[in-house]
Amino acid sequence: MPVCRPSYVQQPIAVLPPAGVTPAETIRFIVFFGVEEGQVALRYEQEKTRNQDYIAIARDALVEIVLQGEQLYLSKDMDAVTTKDALAAFYGGLEYDGYDEKLDRYRIARFTARYNRGGKYDTTHGFNINVDFLQGICPDNGPKWIALTIDPDIKNPPPKLTHK
């Protein structure tokens, strides 16, 4: 699970959703950062899956990124979700939810994803979740933040299912 400081050009997600998309479902992708059993842990997975650290787009969908943990918030300085390539034809309509008034940050980002009809199975679209990591609150200066980028993938279309 790569985590890095932003060091490459990031493409913003389009303001408007891709043309002609009617989301058939909501895909919830959960990002957890915290302490588990005395160790720092970063986990992310698509809800209702086991150990799937990517977002699988199998039909037109609304993708919801949910941050969990006391120190992780969507970045105020960068778009919450950006892509590594110009993919405006597939993803757009970025919006925010879960506002924390005290910290002036959000915990949820949503965007529309158009299914890549006719695409090869397991087509990877790299994207970035841009977050601010809360370091503490100083009484005089307010919160202190470190900017981080978390880099999971979108599989659009996802890997072909094999039945055992």
Side-chain angles (χ1 to χ4, degrees), residues 3-6 75 77-78 130-133 145-149:
V3 176
C4 65
R5 289 189 167 277
S75 179
D77 296 327
M78 299 182 69
N130 302 306
V131 298
D132 289 333
F133 179 63
W145 304 94
I146 293 178
L148 298 172
T149 294

Side-chain angles (χ1 to χ4, degrees), residues 39-53:
Q39 304 257 336
V40 175
L42 171 67
R43 289 184 285 103
Y44 46 83
E45 65 184 8
Q46 186 170 317
E47 188 178 59
K48 300 179 184 174
T49 64
R50 293 191 73 199
N51 302 319
Q52 181 177 301
D53 61 355

